[in-house]
């Protein structure tokens, strides 16, 4: 589980659903401080429920990509 892997203080976190999960963000941006915390199928509620587990590490930045699965689940 992702929560078992700590995030370095000052890291850049990409947080979201499958669109985030599928990206190799640290390779794309050539930045080893980028940490991917996307989970395929996740919803806005799921991201908000685990946000405190991310922020406790005091990341420098958090990029969010959420909401697409909420549209699918509402239908």
């Amino acid at each position: 589980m992702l929560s078992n892997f700590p995030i370095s203080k000052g890291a850049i976190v990409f947080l979201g659903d499958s669109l985030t999960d599928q990206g190799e963000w640290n390779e794309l941006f050539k930045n080893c401080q980028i940490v991917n915390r996307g989970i395929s199928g996740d919803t806005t509620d799921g991201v908000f429920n685990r946000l405190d587990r991310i922020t406790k590490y005091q990341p420098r930045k958090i990029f969010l990509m959420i909401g697409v699965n909420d549209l699918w689940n509402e239908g």
Side-chain angles (χ1 to χ4, degrees):
M1 174 167 268
L2 288 176
S3 60
N4 295 334
F5 297 100
I7 298 169
S8 299
K9 184 176 180 176
I12 300 169
V13 179
F14 281 54
L15 178 62
D17 53 28
S18 60
L19 297 173
T20 302
D21 183 30
Q22 295 172 11
E24 297 293 338
W25 305 110
N26 57 344
E27 293 179 21
L28 181 66
F29 291 108
K30 296 178 180 17
N31 187 332
C32 63
Q33 290 190 325
I34 294 176
V35 178
N36 188 336
R37 289 298 182 263
I39 296 177
S40 294
D42 208 356
T43 62
T44 300
D45 287 340
V47 170
F48 286 149
N49 286 337
R50 59 194 172 94
L51 189 57
D52 60 334
R53 287 179 262 161
I54 302 294
T55 58
K56 77 177 184 180
Y57 292 107
Q58 300 177 340
R60 183 166 35 126
K61 295 179 184 177
I62 299 175
F63 290 93
L64 292 173
M65 170 67 88
I66 54 176
V68 173
N69 292 321
D70 296 325
L71 296 173
W72 290 106
N73 290 333
E74 292 295 321

